[in-house]
Amino acid sequence: MDFHTAEELLELCAQGMSIATVMREREVTQGETDSVTVEERMKKALNIMRNSAHTPLTEVLPSTGGLIGGEAEKLNNNMLNGKNICGSVMSKALIYSQAVPEMNASMGVIVAAPTAGSSGVLPAVLFALEEEFNLTEKQLLDGMFTAGAVGYLLMKHASVSGAQAGCQAEVGSASAMAAAAAAAMMGGTAQQSFDAASIALSNLLGLVCDPIAGLVEAPCQSRNAIGAANALTCAEMALSGIKAVVPFSEMAAAMLRVGTKLPNELRETALGGCAVTPTGCAHNCRIFGGCN
Amino acid sequence: MAFISVFDVIGPNMVGPSSSHTAGAASIALLAGKMIGERITRVTFTLYGSFAKTYKGHGTDKALVGGILGFETDDVRIRDSFNIAKENGLEFDFVCNNSDDEDIHPNTVDMEIVGESGRQLTVRGESLGGGKVMLTRINGVKVQFTGEYHALIVIQRDNPGVVAGITSVLSSWDVNIAYLRVFREEKGGLAYTIVESDEEISEKAVEVIKKNPAIQDIMLVQR
């Protein structure tokens, strides 16, 4: 079983399968493996995600560049003190979305989803919904395969590389993947997953990649927060019956078009945006020495 | 386009912070280490492009040393690889080459590797993004090698019949060849035959192939 476009996938789903089921079948047949191996591999990824989303809540992890560290703990304490203002699902997603990039920047183990720079978005949505709605491991795995299907289509037809198409291709793609996963885990249809993914992509269209000192720290970490919040927002919209005005496939193509129009300075070169603010430049000098 | 697995999307599992600058670097060095097939005592890493500019902040240096020590991309020992190298008698140093040669991929490393028997190997690796890597030179000869399959790398004189000899031995050992490519610098000089297979390749088959006097060396790289 295989599919090459969202339309082909939706056609397969119209025969009564979920996106997750089709994606699992595709992996077994096209990847020439068996379903037990595939499931175990995904469980391993889930466990790494879980550890990376939770460890920084109680342990401040210093990053190699020193630009971030301790954000997840601060947010968690804020919530434990009853001071959070976003509601518990969103506040929890916020905490986890900051934890994983902290783990990543301290050379901890994470799962790139689809990239290391955007690795906080999907775990944030998975674990916030798990806690609030008592989701089972099976439901989380379904969410991951759904996210994987969306990410695969974006890899194939658009881009998941900041160097190629800006942050919209990294956090934007992660957000679309997580939006589709959230819609699926909360009982939505395959079409609703793609509506959520399409709206999520469109909301972050044009987001530039401008890492300070070229490091995967700032503004990458806080952009994971917007990726997760956007995913939950778009999933709720789709689940309420709102349809994406532009279908997912067209939005993916639009994302790539916008990405290739971004100037080189705004595609992971650290030559634009946040990276060249006076503060961004000062951090670069401090970390690497020498100013340019 | 090659098959995109769900684990290319949800993955790799890796020590941060960067799939290209950390995980990719570890994979390149791991692959090179497997090629030499013995304990490595000394490596000089020459870094180009973005690797040269940002290697410290991305832990590219620790990942490269970790890969040489045999650590996979998600092995936390990468963080402490410099100390582990010291304990294991592995010497290493880093050289930055800030050449702006546009033919060099921005995330490129050259590795001059010396094994405990004195065996030497020079490998160039490129980190292509998302943790994907390609070795593009072996001892100066341009090649393309990803390590995604079990592989034999045969260094041979570019004589007639050498490749046919390799394939006939492999077929008698029931090895199904997925890809076979010959890379050479000049006609009649040294050639590198890279054979990739879905199945593990037996060391005994390698011994038989080695009997051909035109063959100088063989590296067996299991996936």
Side-chain angles (χ1 to χ4, degrees):
Chain A
M1 184 178 293
D2 201 3
F3 61 91
H4 302 94
T5 62
E7 289 71 23
E8 284 177 23
L9 173 54
L10 284 167
E11 248 171 60
L12 289 167
C13 292
Q15 298 165 20
M17 282 175 286
S18 67
I19 295 175
T21 302
V22 175
M23 197 60 187
R24 283 183 170 100
E25 285 287 311
R26 174 182 179 273
E27 191 67 24
V28 169
T29 55
Q30 303 301 305
E32 295 173 4
T33 174
D34 60 87
S35 57
V36 175
T37 308
V38 170
E39 217 57 28
E40 285 308 311
R41 237 180 124 179
M42 197 58 99
K43 276 184 196 166
K44 185 179 177 196
L46 178 62
N47 288 337
I48 295 173
M49 281 185 176
R50 189 183 294 285
N51 183 54
S52 63
H54 290 85
T55 303
L57 270 53
T58 50
E59 193 184 328
V60 175
L61 304 173
S63 67
T64 34
L67 298 175
I68 65 169
E71 291 74 17
E73 187 190 45
K74 283 197 181 85
L75 284 163
N76 192 40
N77 288 340
N78 194 52
M79 185 160 177
L80 291 174
N81 292 332
K83 300 257 176 77
N84 60 309
I85 59 174
C86 289
S88 56
V89 175
M90 199 62 96
S91 289
K92 281 183 177 168
L94 183 51
I95 295 168
Y96 297 137
S97 75
Q98 300 306 281
V100 180
E102 214 176 307
M103 189 70 154
N104 183 53
S106 71
M107 296 194 78
V109 180
I110 56 100
V111 182
T115 63
S118 60
S119 57
V121 175
L122 181 59
V125 168
L126 291 176
F127 300 127
L129 292 176
E130 178 194 32
E131 285 176 31
E132 290 299 306
F133 296 97
N134 294 316
L135 300 183
T136 62
E137 184 182 58
K138 165 78 169 53
Q139 285 172 302
L140 295 183
L141 292 167
D142 286 349
M144 292 171 81
F145 281 102
T146 307
V150 169
Y152 149 65
L153 290 170
L154 290 169
M155 265 186 173
K156 195 175 173 70
H157 299 293
S159 171
V160 299
S161 154
Q164 193 186 4
C167 191
Q168 56 160 11
E170 297 209 21
V171 167
S173 293
S175 191
M177 289 161 57
M185 292 189 299
M186 299 310 293
T189 62
Q191 182 59 55
Q192 285 173 326
S193 276
F194 275 107
D195 282 325
S198 180
I199 302 169
L201 271 188
S202 71
N203 285 354
L204 295 177
L205 212 59
L207 192 62
V208 303
C209 180
D210 52 351
I212 291 175
L215 301 178
V216 193
E217 298 193 12
C220 318
Q221 184 192 33
S222 56
R223 285 197 185 140
N224 275 261
I226 205 64
N230 184 48
L232 288 167
T233 305
C234 297
E236 184 154 326
M237 290 170 76
L239 288 167
S240 79
I242 296 172
K243 292 184 171 33
V245 174
V246 179
F248 174 82
S249 292
E250 292 180 34
M251 193 50 71
M255 186 263 268
L256 180 61
R257 265 201 312 279
V258 168
T260 51
K261 294 230 175 207
L262 286 176
N264 182 46
E265 286 79 3
L266 299 174
R267 286 189 275 126
E268 212 180 315
T269 50
L271 296 172
C274 295
V276 296
T277 57
T279 302
C281 291
H283 281 303
N284 185 53
C285 293
R286 176 181 58 77
I287 297 165
F288 293 115
C291 297
N292 35 31
Chain B
M1 183 190 281
F3 170 64
I4 299 174
S5 158
V6 72
F7 301 107
D8 292 328
V9 185
I10 314 277
N13 303 338
M14 54 170 275
V15 168
S18 164
S19 56
S20 54
H21 287 65
T22 322
S27 295
I28 289 171
L30 181 65
L31 195 49
K34 278 187 192 170
M35 284 167 62
I36 198 162
E38 61 182 47
R39 197 176 70 83
I40 296 167
T41 53
R42 150 134 225 104
V43 187
T44 297
F45 299 98
T46 304
L47 307 173
Y48 297 87
S50 176
F51 267 12
K53 288 197 187 77
T54 65
Y55 74 97
K56 279 187 181 156
H58 282 127
T60 308
D61 46 0
K62 292 178 183 171
L64 285 168
V65 171
I68 290 288
L69 289 166
F71 302 163
E72 303 276 349
T73 58
D74 63 347
D75 192 327
V76 284
R77 289 178 294 175
I78 284 175
R79 265 195 270 189
D80 200 28
S81 65
F82 284 10
N83 288 328
I84 299 172
K86 213 170 270 175
E87 288 162 14
N88 287 278
L90 167 65
E91 290 177 40
F92 57 89
D93 61 345
F94 292 91
V95 178
C96 289
N97 183 322
N98 291 311
S99 140
D100 46 13
D101 183 347
E102 285 187 1
D103 290 339
I104 297 178
H105 185 279
N107 295 330
T108 295
V109 57
D110 283 340
M111 291 165 285
E112 290 166 52
I113 305 172
V114 182
E116 60 185 342
S117 72
R119 188 178 192 183
Q120 294 189 13
L121 177 69
T122 305
V123 174
R124 169 170 291 180
E126 297 177 2
S127 179
L128 305 176
K132 295 265 177 205
V133 302
M134 172 93 80
L135 299 191
T136 56
R137 276 179 201 212
I138 301 173
N139 295 334
V141 175
K142 285 186 186 169
V143 300
Q144 289 176 354
F145 180 52
T146 62
E148 286 172 8
Y149 299 85
H150 301 290
L152 265 190
I153 302 171
V154 181
I155 307 175
Q156 75 217 40
R157 282 203 307 278
D158 187 20
N159 291 357
V162 180
V163 174
I166 296 169
T167 57
S168 98
V169 173
L170 289 176
S171 95
S172 70
W173 285 85
D174 270 338
V175 173
N176 186 32
I177 296 172
Y179 299 100
L180 184 150
R181 275 175 295 184
V182 182
F183 303 92
R184 60 180 190 180
E185 271 200 324
E186 57 198 30
K187 200 174 169 185
L190 269 190
Y192 285 68
T193 299
I194 300 184
V195 184
E196 295 181 301
S197 162
D198 295 322
E199 299 109 35
E200 261 194 44
I201 301 168
S202 147
E203 287 187 25
K204 286 178 186 157
V206 175
E207 291 307 316
V208 178
I209 294 171
K210 250 186 199 161
K211 286 183 182 156
N212 185 331
I215 289 173
Q216 205 177 72
D217 200 2
I218 297 185
M219 294 179 270
L220 177 60
V221 186
Q222 310 288 17
R223 185 169 54 193

